[in-house]
Every structure is written in C-alpha cells, then in structure tokens.
Amino acid sequence: MKIKNRQIPIRHLLSVVIGWIHCAMICSPIYALILNFTNQEVSRETVIQNHLRGLFIFIPVVLSWLAIRYLRNILLYLLASIVICALPLFLFGTPVMIPPVVLLCFLRFYNRLLGEKHSLLDNPAYPALAAFLIPAVTSIFVERLDGVYQHLALLYMAVYFLLCFIHHGIERIDGYIDVNQNMRNMPARRIVRISTSILGAAFVLFALILLPPLIGSDVELRYTPPPAAESQAETVLPSASPEPVEEEEEEELQMLPDVKPNPVMTAIMHIVEYAILIAVAVGAVFGVIYGALRLSRSFSKSFHDRGDFVENLQDDQLEAVHEAPRVRDRPRFLDRSPNATIRRKYRRTILRAAKEPPQPWMSPSEAEAHAKLTGDAAERLHRLYEKARYSPDGCAKQDLSEL
C-alpha cells in the first residue's frame, strides 16, 4: 500500500488499527456496566446493545491519534481536543464517556511532551485482560445484573487476547527486520512472508479454538448467601412392634431431602474443564510450531551465502550486560571532614549567586562562570574546592581558615 508515494506495509497499518481497537474494547464493558447501574431495569438485549454502542469510542480514539500525529501546533491540538471531548455527547447521548476521552487526549499530549514513542494507548498488553473481569465479577455478586455480562466478558477477553497475539507478533517481525537490516544479502521479504504466514495461521487456529465455545456458552456464576437455618422439632413416637430392617432403610432414604448440585461449583468445573482444553490445545500448537522451527534450524546449522560463511550458534548463552546507575558524587550527611565542609561551602556559594542551578555536566569553572563569581575570594574557593574533590590528599583543617 502506498501513501504519498511511500510504501507502507499492511502489517504496520494493521498494528495501528489494533491499537485503536484495544482502547475501544476496554472502555465498552465499563460503559455498559455504568449504564446498568444508572438505570432501574435493563434487559439482556439492552446490555448487548450498550456493549456494541460503547465500541463507538473508537471514533474519538482515531481522531485523537490523528490530531496528535499531524497537528504540530499546540493550540490547534487543544482546540481539536475540545471538539473530540464533546463528541461523546453526540455519539452516546450521555456524558458517561467524556472522562475517558478527556483522559485519552491528555495522555496523548503528555506523551508527546515526554517524547514517548511506545505508548500503552496504542499497544495492547496482556495485563489489560483483567479490565474485562470487572463487569463479570460484579454480575456474580449483584442480582440485578444479567448473566450476559459474564458471557460477553469471556468473549471480549478471547478477542483481546487474539489482538495482543497478532500485535506482538507483528512487533517481533519488525524488530527482527530492523536489527538485521544492514546484514549483507539478507532475504528480508522471504523472512517477512514466511513469518507472517505462520503468524496468520496461528491466529486463525487460536480463533477457531477460543471463539466457537464462547459464542454458545450459557454458564453463569451466581453468589447466593446461605439461608438461615430453621430448626424444626420433630417428635418420633416409638413403634410398638419393630419393623424389618429393609423397610426402615427405605423410609430413612425417603425422609432425606433432595440434594441438588451447587450451581456455582458446577459452573467453576465447566470453566476449569474449558481452560484445561484450551491450555492443551495451545500447548500442542506451540509445540508443533516450535518443533518445526527447531527441526528446520538443525538441518541448516551452517550455510554459505555468496562466499560468506555464516554459522548458526543457537546454543550460545548470551549474558545481558546491565550498567549500574550512576550515583552523584556528594559528601554524606554526617561527614564533617574538611573536604566535605569546603564542598558544601562551594555548593552554597554557587546556588546563592546563580539565578538557576548549574547543570550536572558543568565543570567547576563553567559553574562559576554560570554564577558570575569573580574576585580573589572566588579564586581561593575554586582552588580549595578542586583540592577537596580531586586531590588524592584532600584538604586539612588549616585550609578551613582560608574560607
């Protein structure tokens, strides 16, 4: 696909659209839950309609993304944000969705000030799956909420999981191409074509495993407090003549109340069974793909590429190098030595003379020029400071008399 004579891969456009969809999917169930609490009676059809209507926040998400990307003037972006924040009144007919849109525009503006390129607003993440559990868990303990919240929450989680899977897969492909783009004679198109095909096949397989059981699911969890125990006194008159043992056992069995299975435990067992089946299926798919990749790499441990010998060292262990954070060299609070005293005196003099604190990268001479310190006192203080900080011997108590 070409935009302004530039070749833009379709996977990049798909990654951007997935980022828009993930914001809309997170806000939709919360919107439906809030409307359910603000109204007295809400039917199941209305709950489903509210979920679908909540997806219309996709429009403000797209407009805010376009505004922060193409409006370079801050005033123009603020005006556009005001219009975008007022848009939910026309889309939903209620101010419920105005706060998330305001927060969205503010976070985009804040990320632009910080120069943030990888924003969570445009990149789905697996921890966000917990947001879909809020309506589902609430419907378990609140009787007025319909059980369809639980069904839709599982369906939303499955779709969001697929979005995360395809988005992270595209990021891995792009990251691999960017790292190795300077390699000589690298078959980038072939790698992208094969990896994209594998990613698409895994996506379709996961969708076939996850979505059909959830669409026809009717499992609901409900928490009902145990009823108060009622004591019923029963008087048993002794029988004159003993009855046969078999007849007594039959009568005792008839007197026992009918025991029904706990619906909560039954639903939990169904969910556990479904989770186990999904885990087994996902593990099998992952094992097949991983085994195929390892097998293909074992057949090509080394190969020649136009005279350059390239060796596959997949068994090497690479240790990550973590650079320790740099700590500023300052005297300790309880240090009352001549060196510490002179350094504190120097710092106080600089801060009092300068309108703004000097930058950390400035040398002592640059800091003094920044603070406009001149004269014999400044030269004497400069000499003592360099001796206290950089000299291996340091200052003695006699040097304190020169301050």
Side-chain angles (χ1 to χ4, degrees):
M1 183 176 181
K2 291 185 177 181
I3 297 179
K4 294 182 179 180
N5 297 327
R6 291 174 54 194
Q7 186 72 24
I8 299 180
I10 296 189
R11 66 180 185 276
H12 291 173
L13 298 177
L14 181 61
S15 178
V16 173
V17 174
I18 289 175
W20 297 340
I21 296 175
H22 107 92
C23 284
M25 289 191 64
I26 292 177
C27 296
S28 175
I30 308 298
Y31 166 75
L33 182 64
I34 294 175
L35 288 187
N36 204 150
F37 278 106
T38 54
N39 299 324
Q40 294 296 330
E41 294 183 1
V42 179
S43 61
R44 173 168 292 197
E45 291 76 12
T46 306
V47 172
I48 298 176
Q49 291 176 4
N50 291 336
H51 275 78
L52 297 177
R53 186 179 301 170
L55 295 175
F56 284 152
I57 200 175
F58 176 83
I59 298 175
V61 171
V62 176
L63 294 179
S64 64
W65 186 88
L66 294 174
I68 199 64
R69 187 175 181 87
Y70 295 105
L71 296 180
R72 298 300 178 185
N73 194 317
I74 295 179
L75 294 178
L76 292 179
Y77 175 76
L78 293 178
L79 293 176
S81 299
I82 294 174
V83 176
I84 294 172
C85 293
L87 191 61
L89 284 175
F90 299 95
L91 293 176
F92 304 99
T94 176
V96 173
M97 297 298 278
I98 291 181
V101 175
V102 172
L103 180 63
L104 176 68
C105 295
F106 171 75
L107 291 178
R108 289 197 186 280
F109 180 70
Y110 184 71
N111 291 338
R112 178 174 172 177
L113 292 179
L114 296 180
E116 182 69 34
K117 296 183 179 179
H118 186 86
S119 175
L120 292 179
L121 297 175
D122 304 316
N123 296 275
Y126 290 109
L129 290 169
F132 301 104
L133 295 177
I134 297 176
V137 174
T138 306
S139 65
I140 295 176
F141 298 96
V142 180
E143 295 182 359
R144 57 177 296 189
L145 296 181
D146 196 280
V148 72
Y149 281 99
Q150 303 174 26
H151 306 157
L152 293 177
L154 294 176
L155 184 60
Y156 269 61
M157 291 177 70
V159 175
Y160 191 83
F161 172 80
L162 294 175
L163 292 180
C164 292
F165 175 76
I166 197 73
H167 187 271
H168 288 287
I170 293 174
E171 284 188 342
R172 294 292 297 272
I173 294 174
D174 292 339
Y176 181 81
I177 296 300
D178 292 341
V179 170
N180 300 282
Q181 62 181 351
N182 295 326
M183 183 183 297
R184 180 186 175 187
N185 298 325
M186 177 185 174
R189 292 186 179 180
R190 188 190 312 168
I191 293 174
V192 171
R193 192 184 306 116
I194 295 175
S195 56
T196 305
S197 302
I198 295 176
L199 181 63
F203 174 80
V204 172
L205 185 58
F206 286 163
L208 294 177
I209 294 174
L210 293 173
L211 297 182
L214 293 177
I215 294 175
S217 175
D218 57 350
V219 177
E220 294 183 8
L221 295 178
R222 289 293 181 181
Y223 174 76
T224 54
E230 298 179 357
S231 59
Q232 296 179 354
E234 296 182 358
T235 57
V236 180
L237 297 177
S239 57
S241 59
E243 297 181 357
V245 178
E246 296 180 357
E247 295 181 359
E248 290 181 357
E249 293 180 353
E250 292 179 358
E251 290 182 358
E252 291 178 357
L253 293 175
Q254 292 177 358
M255 292 176 62
L256 292 176
D258 295 335
V259 179
K260 296 181 179 180
N262 190 346
V264 176
M265 294 302 299
T266 304
I268 291 176
M269 294 305 296
H270 282 299
I271 293 177
V272 171
E273 181 181 1
Y274 179 62
I276 293 175
L277 292 177
I278 291 177
V280 172
V282 171
V285 173
F286 178 77
V288 171
I289 296 176
Y290 182 75
L293 293 176
R294 294 290 295 182
L295 186 62
S296 63
R297 293 182 68 180
S298 64
F299 277 114
S300 59
K301 287 186 177 180
S302 62
F303 60 93
H304 287 80
D305 185 8
R306 295 188 179 183
D308 295 336
F309 185 74
V310 182
E311 195 173 64
N312 184 12
L313 305 176
Q314 70 270 21
D315 296 329
D316 289 353
Q317 296 181 357
L318 301 178
E319 297 181 358
V321 178
H322 300 282
E323 184 178 357
R326 304 179 70 178
V327 182
R328 298 188 65 179
D329 182 16
R330 285 184 177 179
R332 296 183 180 180
F333 180 74
L334 299 178
D335 188 1
R336 301 301 171 184
S337 62
N339 289 336
T341 304
I342 292 174
R343 291 181 62 180
R344 291 193 185 96
K345 174 66 176 178
Y346 180 84
R347 185 171 181 271
R348 287 196 298 267
T349 304
I350 293 292
L351 293 178
R352 289 173 183 172
K355 295 181 179 180
E356 295 182 358
Q359 298 296 328
W361 48 264
M362 288 184 177
S363 64
S365 300
E366 292 173 337
E368 293 164 10
H370 171 76
K372 299 179 180 179
L373 290 178
T374 57
D376 297 337
E379 293 180 0
R380 185 167 56 254
L381 184 61
H382 174 82
R383 178 176 55 81
L384 292 175
Y385 176 76
E386 287 191 340
K387 182 179 180 182
R389 183 170 183 182
Y390 302 112
S391 175
D393 299 329
C395 295
K397 292 184 179 180
Q398 293 78 8
D399 296 321
L400 296 178
S401 60
E402 299 183 22
L403 292 177

mmCIF file of all heavy atoms in Angstrom, residues 44 59 61 67 107 213 322 371 386:
data_model
loop_
_atom_site.group_PDB
_atom_site.id
_atom_site.type_symbol
_atom_site.label_atom_id
_atom_site.label_comp_id
_atom_site.label_asym_id
_atom_site.label_seq_id
_atom_site.Cartn_x
_atom_site.Cartn_y
_atom_site.Cartn_z
ATOM 1 N N ARG A 44 -31.577 -7.961 28.788
ATOM 2 C CA ARG A 44 -30.373 -8.558 28.208
ATOM 3 C C ARG A 44 -30.054 -7.948 26.851
ATOM 4 O O ARG A 44 -28.893 -7.693 26.532
ATOM 5 C CB ARG A 44 -30.562 -10.068 28.083
ATOM 6 C CG ARG A 44 -29.457 -10.776 27.344
ATOM 7 C CD ARG A 44 -29.532 -12.262 27.496
ATOM 8 N NE ARG A 44 -29.246 -12.670 28.869
ATOM 9 C CZ ARG A 44 -28.930 -13.917 29.225
ATOM 10 N NH1 ARG A 44 -28.842 -14.861 28.304
ATOM 11 N NH2 ARG A 44 -28.700 -14.232 30.478
ATOM 12 N N ILE A 59 -14.152 6.071 17.484
ATOM 13 C CA ILE A 59 -14.050 7.298 16.670
ATOM 14 C C ILE A 59 -13.225 8.371 17.382
ATOM 15 O O ILE A 59 -12.290 8.928 16.794
ATOM 16 C CB ILE A 59 -15.461 7.806 16.308
ATOM 17 C CG1 ILE A 59 -16.192 6.748 15.465
ATOM 18 C CG2 ILE A 59 -15.389 9.132 15.565
ATOM 19 C CD1 ILE A 59 -17.618 7.092 15.154
ATOM 20 N N VAL A 61 -10.975 7.890 19.619
ATOM 21 C CA VAL A 61 -9.607 7.358 19.700
ATOM 22 C C VAL A 61 -8.846 7.632 18.403
ATOM 23 O O VAL A 61 -7.686 8.083 18.420
ATOM 24 C CB VAL A 61 -9.645 5.847 20.012
ATOM 25 C CG1 VAL A 61 -8.259 5.238 19.882
ATOM 26 C CG2 VAL A 61 -10.185 5.596 21.412
ATOM 27 N N ALA A 67 -4.939 13.727 15.482
ATOM 28 C CA ALA A 67 -4.649 15.096 15.916
ATOM 29 C C ALA A 67 -3.247 15.213 16.494
ATOM 30 O O ALA A 67 -2.490 16.134 16.162
ATOM 31 C CB ALA A 67 -5.692 15.541 16.941
ATOM 32 N N LEU A 107 -3.383 12.228 27.981
ATOM 33 C CA LEU A 107 -2.246 11.310 27.966
ATOM 34 C C LEU A 107 -1.492 11.375 26.639
ATOM 35 O O LEU A 107 -0.267 11.253 26.617
ATOM 36 C CB LEU A 107 -2.726 9.882 28.232
ATOM 37 C CG LEU A 107 -3.233 9.609 29.649
ATOM 38 C CD1 LEU A 107 -3.721 8.175 29.775
ATOM 39 C CD2 LEU A 107 -2.151 9.886 30.683
ATOM 40 N N PRO A 213 -16.621 -22.027 21.267
ATOM 41 C CA PRO A 213 -17.225 -22.422 22.553
ATOM 42 C C PRO A 213 -17.779 -21.243 23.341
ATOM 43 O O PRO A 213 -18.775 -21.399 24.070
ATOM 44 C CB PRO A 213 -16.063 -23.087 23.303
ATOM 45 C CG PRO A 213 -15.084 -23.477 22.266
ATOM 46 C CD PRO A 213 -15.200 -22.418 21.214
ATOM 47 N N HIS A 322 24.107 -5.277 32.272
ATOM 48 C CA HIS A 322 23.315 -4.236 32.911
ATOM 49 C C HIS A 322 24.268 -3.205 33.512
ATOM 50 O O HIS A 322 25.092 -3.527 34.371
ATOM 51 C CB HIS A 322 22.432 -4.827 34.009
ATOM 52 C CG HIS A 322 21.463 -5.846 33.508
ATOM 53 N ND1 HIS A 322 20.294 -5.505 32.856
ATOM 54 C CD2 HIS A 322 21.501 -7.208 33.537
ATOM 55 C CE1 HIS A 322 19.643 -6.604 32.524
ATOM 56 N NE2 HIS A 322 20.361 -7.643 32.922
ATOM 57 N N ALA A 371 27.448 31.216 37.436
ATOM 58 C CA ALA A 371 27.019 32.008 38.596
ATOM 59 C C ALA A 371 27.639 33.396 38.628
ATOM 60 O O ALA A 371 27.322 34.186 39.532
ATOM 61 C CB ALA A 371 27.367 31.254 39.881
ATOM 62 N N GLU A 386 38.763 22.376 44.235
ATOM 63 C CA GLU A 386 39.450 21.393 43.400
ATOM 64 C C GLU A 386 40.369 20.515 44.243
ATOM 65 O O GLU A 386 40.496 19.310 43.978
ATOM 66 C CB GLU A 386 40.241 22.111 42.315
ATOM 67 C CG GLU A 386 39.372 22.695 41.217
ATOM 68 C CD GLU A 386 40.190 23.158 40.052
ATOM 69 O OE1 GLU A 386 41.414 23.383 40.236
ATOM 70 O OE2 GLU A 386 39.627 23.309 38.937
#
